[in-house]
Amino acid sequence: MNSLAISVSNLTKIYGERSAVSQASFEVPMGTVCGFVGPNGSGKTTTIRMLLGLITPSAGTGSVLGESISHPQRYLPQVGAMIEGPAFYPALTGAENLKVLANLGGYPISRVQGLLEQVGLGDRGGGKFKTYSLGMKQRLGIAAALLPQPKLLILDEPTNGLDPSGIQEIRELLKELASDGTTVFVSSHLLSELEMISEYLVMLRLGKVLFSGRTQDLLSAQQPILVAKPEYAIDLGKIVEIARVCGHEVSVVEGAANISAPSDWSASLNRMAFEAGVTLSTLTSVLPTLEETFFEMTNNESAGGE
Amino acid sequence: MFHVFLAETRKLRRPTLLFSTILLVLAISGLFTSLLYLLINSRDGNGRRGQSITALTLSKSNGLVSGFVSTATLLGVVALCIFAAQTAQEYTFGTLRNLLVRQPSRMKLLMGKYLSMIFFALIMDFLSLIVSVSISYGLAGHAHVSTVAWSTAAGFHALAQSFWNVFLATIGFGTFGMILGLLLRSPISSIAIGVIWVLIVESLLGAVVKGADKWLPGTLIGAVGNGGDAGLTYSRSLGVSLAYLVVGSAVVALLFKRRDVAN
């Protein structure tokens, strides 16, 4: 059995002079939740469309569930997808919209009601799609993606328009699916959400893959930040000065000095602060969040590219 | 392909589309057939383009279907709108990507869609025939038209032949609409261009350019529905319109198969 749900190598899509995706290579192991992140226009949706056979790549190769992406009919029956937001027929009800897709894929119609209930639309399936709120449309899109009971679920911004409880429900749903062995490949702008659920991560910028691998590997490779807050705000300048003299980058955030330094430097900082007559009320070492790492990496990349 | 057919049929039977189409078809058939009998002695004529169709003509074996046949072009225009809208809306709603994920074979998707719309057209024509025949029988006495020949073998043959011709014309107009829908990817544009072309541009060209009606697709398809028109034989109309539609369909099918689905 193939251990990779998705594998692409040098995948490229060129529109005229513009390269939407440029030699992207990454792998997504089976049974994991993989986050797919990148700023708007970074090529996420184009990549997803190539994986689903909607767009023909200009170059490169790829496979989904062990089958080449040039033969999507071989793997799509086992793939559920929601691409670039939910798209349905406005004049049909939510349930009818799902039944159209169930007919099309040859799935039992009896599955529809269960799916509507699973995504929290059990009592609204009879309402027309055009009357749905953005969050309800999004839920219907997820229900449609779950219709084939997929081995691989590809979701493009599934939490768009959802309220915090809706986001939490989707997060739990994705975790549950992953625990049942479904591979989830999910793109989102909510990096904090992805950090909570993604074991793997593919990071894209300007059509190029910046990182692909375990989320933990990415985060632990980052320089930790020492957060030092003096007892009296007036002493903040002295902390900043100590850090700079010792050659560490420092920024001030909400009355505290955020110092890019190894966590074992905290003892030295504490001592030097004491010698300078400053009492620290907070001194902790934190790893950067996915969001901070993402901005750090994309900024470095753009600085390097300029 | 059967799965695609089922899915498309589900979309076509939505109440707003189904009932409005049925009402429209019933209105067209009812109006055209009623006027044929009610204006039978009118000096302005009771047929197309002021033509007078006498009680004697209507009493012939093919008289029963005169009203139904005269609706061919309008039924075709209805089909054009439905085929165009059903095809182009997949682009405007963005639903094509969902359909292609569930049915990656684009040709199967297109064929299933086409067959379901043909089925819809068949029902539409059948309803129209029933209304027209019922009104014909109902108004025959009022117009002093004998119905004896209508129920002979020749009458039934004429009925079947006319239904087939009108059905072919409806599919022809519908295919024209589908071609426009796939080319333009917008229901409004494809319907507007299709209807304006068939009802206005072709009429103007036919009136201004001598012999143009022998080559205009809408006129030719309409002639198929009428079983041939003055100056346009049935076989020529069928052959040339078929050639137009086959070439057009092949081009758009190729486009549909190759084109990236990027919206």
Side-chain angles (χ1 to χ4, degrees), chain B residues 35 40 50 57 60 70 72 79 83-84 92 112 116 122 150 161 163 209 220 237-238 250 258:
Chain B
L35 290 178
I40 200 156
T57 307
K60 289 181 181 171
S70 63
F83 280 48
T92 49
S116 72
L122 178 69
W150 292 357
Q161 183 68 51
F163 182 75
V209 183
L220 289 166
S237 306
L238 186 64
R258 297 264 173 94

Side-chain angles (χ1 to χ4, degrees), chain A residues 33-249:
Chain A
V33 178
C34 178
F36 194 34
V37 298
N40 287 337
S42 59
K44 298 192 298 291
T45 302
T46 305
T47 304
I48 287 175
R49 283 175 187 272
M50 285 193 278
L51 294 176
L52 295 171
L54 298 173
I55 287 179
T56 311
S58 306
T61 57
S63 68
V64 174
L65 300 175
E67 302 286 353
S68 165
I69 57 170
S70 53
H71 299 290
Q73 66 276 14
R74 292 185 187 161
Y75 58 83
L76 282 181
Q78 301 172 79
V79 175
M82 186 177 78
I83 321 135
E84 234 183 352
F88 292 99
Y89 305 100
L92 294 185
T93 65
E96 279 294 318
N97 268 297
L98 289 189
K99 285 175 187 172
V100 167
L101 295 175
N103 278 146
L104 196 59
Y107 310 119
I109 296 293
S110 55
R111 218 177 265 179
V112 167
Q113 188 54 34
L115 283 171
L116 287 169
E117 277 159 20
Q118 191 175 359
V119 298
L121 288 176
D123 56 342
R124 290 301 307 272
K128 286 190 176 178
F129 179 71
K130 64 184 172 191
T131 65
Y132 281 13
S133 67
L134 182 58
M136 289 164 72
K137 288 176 179 174
Q138 206 71 12
R139 286 166 191 265
L140 190 67
I142 293 167
L146 294 173
L147 200 53
Q149 295 179 330
K151 276 188 179 173
L152 170 64
L153 187 61
I154 298 178
L155 300 173
D156 194 4
E157 301 289 350
T159 51
N160 259 4
L162 293 181
D163 55 22
S165 69
I167 292 173
Q168 193 181 0
E169 281 172 37
I170 298 302
R171 188 201 307 151
E172 293 306 318
L173 176 67
L174 296 186
K175 277 184 185 172
E176 192 184 308
L177 288 166
S179 68
D180 290 343
T182 308
T183 308
V184 182
F185 188 60
V186 55
S187 87
S188 176
H189 286 112
L190 297 177
L191 299 182
S192 54
E193 281 301 318
L194 284 184
E195 190 175 355
M196 275 188 258
I197 58 170
S198 306
E199 298 160 62
Y200 275 77
L201 208 63
V202 176
M203 202 179 270
L204 215 58
R205 187 180 181 278
L206 295 174
K208 291 179 181 169
V209 175
L210 294 185
F211 172 84
S212 78
R214 287 185 171 278
T215 310
Q216 203 48 49
D217 292 346
L218 173 72
L219 296 178
S220 57
Q222 303 303 308
Q223 174 87 294
I225 294 169
L226 288 180
V227 180
K229 190 172 185 179
E231 187 179 13
Y232 303 109
I234 198 166
D235 293 331
L236 189 59
K238 290 180 186 171
I239 303 290
V240 171
E241 187 58 28
I242 291 168
R244 284 197 178 136
V245 166
C246 294
H248 299 297
E249 278 185 32

Side-chain angles (χ1 to χ4, degrees), chain A residues 9 191 251 262:
Chain A
S9 173
L191 299 182
S251 59

Side-chain angles (χ1 to χ4, degrees), chain B residues 125-183:
Chain B
D125 285 348
F126 188 63
L127 285 174
S128 173
L129 180 72
I130 289 173
V131 170
S132 181
V133 165
S134 306
I135 291 175
S136 297
Y137 270 106
L139 294 177
H142 168 83
H144 306 293
V145 171
S146 166
T147 62
V148 176
W150 292 357
S151 47
T152 60
F156 286 123
H157 181 261
L159 185 77
Q161 183 68 51
S162 301
F163 182 75
W164 176 245
N165 290 340
V166 171
F167 181 50
L168 280 183
T170 311
I171 296 173
F173 280 112
T175 309
F176 182 43
M178 191 169 180
I179 291 170
L180 288 172
L182 286 168
L183 269 181

Side-chain angles (χ1 to χ4, degrees), chain A residues 13 49 53-56 73 76 79 83-85 87-90 92 96 99-100 103-104 106-107 109 148, chain B residues 3-4 6-7 10-11 14 89-90 93-95 97-104 106 109 260-263:
Chain A
K13 182 66 188 178
R49 283 175 187 272
L54 298 173
I55 287 179
T56 311
Q73 66 276 14
L76 282 181
V79 175
I83 321 135
E84 234 183 352
F88 292 99
Y89 305 100
L92 294 185
E96 279 294 318
K99 285 175 187 172
V100 167
N103 278 146
L104 196 59
Y107 310 119
I109 296 293
Chain B
H3 289 148
V4 183
L6 280 183
R10 193 175 282 282
K11 284 188 263 176
R14 66 180 186 268
Q89 71 176 10
E90 305 294 1
F93 292 153
T95 41
R97 56 182 189 248
N98 292 349
L99 303 185
L100 288 174
V101 168
R102 294 282 60 93
Q103 176 48 267
R106 297 190 182 191
L109 186 70
D260 282 345
V261 179
N263 68 330

Side-chain angles (χ1 to χ4, degrees), chain B residues 160-228:
Chain B
Q161 183 68 51
S162 301
F163 182 75
W164 176 245
N165 290 340
V166 171
F167 181 50
L168 280 183
T170 311
I171 296 173
F173 280 112
T175 309
F176 182 43
M178 191 169 180
I179 291 170
L180 288 172
L182 286 168
L183 269 181
L184 303 171
R185 292 180 277 182
S186 154
I188 294 172
S189 307
S190 41
I191 289 172
I193 289 174
V195 172
I196 290 171
W197 176 265
V198 169
L199 295 182
I200 300 172
V201 177
E202 286 204 8
S203 298
L204 291 174
L205 285 174
V208 173
V209 183
K210 197 180 176 188
D213 52 357
K214 288 183 179 164
W215 299 102
L216 296 170
T219 309
L220 289 166
I221 298 170
V224 171
N226 296 332

